[in-house]
Amino acid sequence: MWGGRFSRGPAAIMEEINASIDVDRRLWREDIEGSKAHAAMLAAAGVIGAEDARAIHDGLETIAGEIERGAFTFSKTLEDIHMNIEARLKTLIGEPAGRLHTARSRNDQVATDFRLWARRACDDIEAALRDLMTALAEKALAHAGDVMPGFTHLQTAQPITFGHHLMAYVEMFARDAGRIADARARMNECPLGAAALAGTSFPIDREMTAAALGFDRPCANSLDAVSARDFALELLAAASIAATHLSRLAEEIVLWTSPHFGFVKLSDAFSTGSSIMPQKRNPDAAELVRAKTGRITASLNNLLVVMKGLPLAYSKDMQEDKAATFEGVDALALAIAAMAGMARDLTPQPDAMAEAAGRGFSTATDIADWLVRVLNTPFRDAHHVTGAIVALADRKGVTLDALSLEEMRTVEPRLTEDIFTVLSPAASAASRTSHGGAAPDNVRAQATRWLDALTQQP
């Protein structure tokens, strides 16, 4: 490739650090797709002959078949996927192969390949997130009325339902899917034709190649086209936020499956054992999802650091962009799939959740609300009265609904038997009928709405 300017080949260590084929070989589909579009455009513009364009197209088809069959030999000496394919094309069709690189550079070529790959990655991640949301919404619908404790500071707060808890994650993952969709929309501009950095003097049709490759438009500035990697950064940023949500749910599954909680069970399909303790059932899938977040966030940090000090336009540093992006996206895809599997696999334990919901004076706020609603007590006063009732129950070592009316009246004489209608966790959860609240009917409506929406999406 460098024969006209260089008189000898690179040192062995230079070849080792310079080659990227072990990483970018996975761009072969995108590289062939982009080259087909470029050759067709060159022929349409009269830059190369139609016969040469047909030979290039057919040769690229042959190469695609070889790679799919595992019959293609990748060479580190040829550095990257672009030169590996071009060299094989020359072997197959001879001189016409040399015309393919007219009016383009590896700079716009790799930028195009990478955007095509990232765009497909966005589509795959969106589909995976929708599948996870479906799994969670189905489970939520089935367990909309199963009462469990809601927590703040990991301390018992107020009764909710298991379905309500799961629907919170449906909302989170929906926003993650939205961020991925936004990233896809912004990256959908075509760098091809920007050449090395300044465009080309050939009469190319960038609108044609952009349309052929499914882009909305060509990139407007040739410098930006070859040097921008914010599309990969944005993808990794969205992936990192999604991974954080996955990690939070994974952490809860780890807690819920422990005997101290006992809220859910995972089958053998998503559990492992211990080499020394025969009784163990470890939620390793959840733990590994939790750990993948570190890899995904590290990939974002990796690429941010690579890009932070680069002047325009292309620098060889940018060869490191793909390894970070590939690793981050691969880790996210695996984590989403594992979480969807666990969501479908886990079996809630309603009795354990209900028993826990009754501990920790979880219906205390319901007493305060009753005082406000029925006795017209100012909330701050009601809060104080309720705190005194809780303290009384705590001294006696009983739950709130185990106190007698006479005992509670020693704190607030105006209490009536009606107070007992709000003291059970189930009644507390059922009363939360405000928009977005934990009432089972709310949960069923939200789960049904999401399942209908997810079914209608492509």
Side-chain angles (χ1 to χ4, degrees):
M1 178 168 48
W2 319 119
R5 176 65 178 84
F6 289 75
S7 59
R8 63 177 191 169
I13 192 65
M14 176 60 189
E15 182 176 298
E16 184 68 25
I17 196 172
N18 195 48
S20 61
I21 186 60
D22 290 342
V23 173
D24 63 30
R25 63 194 295 171
R26 69 189 289 177
L27 293 177
W28 68 266
R29 290 182 181 85
E30 291 78 13
D31 199 71
I32 288 174
E33 185 180 356
S35 290
K36 286 179 182 177
H38 186 65
M41 181 276 296
L42 292 176
V47 176
I48 67 173
E51 188 174 335
D52 285 344
R54 280 193 297 273
I56 290 169
H57 180 276
D58 293 345
L60 291 170
E61 285 280 289
T62 298
I63 293 169
E66 291 175 347
I67 297 175
E68 286 177 339
R69 296 194 306 274
F72 187 92
T73 301
F74 294 95
S75 169
K76 186 169 287 190
T77 303
L78 293 170
E79 293 189 15
D80 56 34
I81 188 61
H82 322 300
M83 298 311 299
N84 269 263
I85 289 175
E86 185 174 323
R88 178 58 179 155
L89 186 63
K90 184 174 182 180
T91 300
L92 289 172
I93 68 172
E95 183 182 345
R99 304 189 188 283
L100 174 59
H101 210 54
T102 306
R104 78 173 182 185
S105 160
R106 285 191 300 173
N107 293 358
D108 63 334
Q109 189 177 357
V110 71
T112 302
D113 293 356
F114 198 12
R115 286 191 189 229
L116 287 170
W117 182 91
R119 195 175 67 186
R120 289 190 175 110
C122 287
D123 293 340
D124 291 343
I125 292 170
E126 264 200 272
L129 286 169
R130 289 197 301 269
D131 180 61
L132 172 56
M133 291 166 63
T134 299
L136 291 170
E138 288 173 344
K139 192 73 70 171
L141 184 60
H143 298 277
D146 290 348
V147 176
M148 68 174 284
F151 300 95
T152 62
H153 308 276
L154 205 55
Q155 305 296 312
T156 300
Q158 293 176 303
I160 58 171
T161 73
F162 188 64
H164 188 61
H165 198 117
L166 294 184
M167 288 307 299
Y169 283 101
V170 172
E171 296 293 334
M172 292 183 211
F173 293 129
R175 292 193 297 273
D176 291 325
R179 276 183 281 270
I180 294 292
D182 289 345
R184 189 197 192 283
R186 266 184 290 279
M187 72 174 62
N188 204 34
E189 295 183 344
C190 185
L192 196 57
L197 76 162
T200 178
S201 59
F202 289 96
I204 63 172
D205 185 348
R206 294 191 61 208
E207 295 283 353
M208 178 180 174
T209 47
L213 294 171
F215 288 104
D216 293 332
R217 65 191 69 84
C219 294
N221 182 283
S222 60
L223 283 170
D224 178 55
V226 299
S227 62
R229 292 297 183 271
D230 55 348
F231 65 91
L233 288 169
E234 187 173 10
L235 171 55
L236 288 174
S240 297
I241 298 172
T244 301
H245 292 153
L246 288 167
S247 184
R248 295 182 74 179
L249 180 53
E251 168 69 8
E252 296 198 298
I253 291 174
V254 171
L255 292 173
W256 292 343
T257 55
S258 72
H260 309 289
F261 279 75
F263 289 180
V264 303
K265 289 183 179 179
L266 287 172
S267 76
D268 293 352
F270 287 92
S271 304
T272 63
S274 166
S275 63
I276 189 172
M277 296 171 285
Q279 84 280 9
K280 292 296 293 297
R281 289 181 61 83
N282 299 323
D284 281 6
E287 292 171 10
L288 289 167
V289 167
R290 190 173 58 187
K292 291 295 182 187
T293 304
R295 283 183 175 269
I296 297 162
T297 304
S299 294
L300 171 60
N301 289 334
N302 183 338
L303 187 52
L304 283 167
V305 174
V306 167
M307 297 300 300
K308 72 172 182 61
L310 298 186
L312 296 180
Y314 183 86
S315 296
K316 195 69 169 183
D317 312 50
M318 292 162 69
Q319 184 168 285
E320 295 295 317
D321 57 1
K322 288 168 287 298
T325 308
F326 292 164
E327 181 171 13
V329 169
D330 289 348
L332 179 65
L334 182 56
I336 295 172
M339 186 57 73
M342 284 186 284
R344 292 189 168 95
D345 181 78
L346 63 82
T347 303
Q349 304 297 299
D351 291 344
M353 290 190 288
E355 194 274 331
R359 296 196 301 264
F361 312 113
S362 64
T363 57
T365 306
D366 297 277
I367 298 178
D369 289 347
W370 186 93
L371 291 168
V372 172
R373 186 172 57 251
V374 177
L375 301 183
N376 198 30
T377 306
F379 182 81
R380 283 300 170 201
D381 295 340
H383 186 283
H384 180 79
V385 169
T386 302
I389 294 174
V390 169
L392 174 62
D394 193 29
R395 287 194 302 272
K396 289 182 168 292
V398 298
T399 58
L400 290 173
D401 57 352
L403 289 172
S404 68
L405 181 61
E406 289 71 25
E407 288 171 322
M408 286 189 281
R409 277 177 170 170
T410 63
V411 177
E412 172 50 81
R414 296 179 295 165
L415 291 174
T416 68
E417 287 284 349
D418 187 60
I419 191 66
F420 290 100
T421 64
V422 301
L423 289 183
S424 74
S428 174
S431 72
R432 306 294 170 178
T433 56
S434 60
H435 183 78
D441 286 346
N442 282 7
V443 176
R444 293 185 187 97
Q446 289 299 315
T448 300
R449 179 181 68 82
W450 268 115
L451 288 169
D452 288 345
L454 290 164
T455 301
Q456 293 167 11
Q457 290 180 358

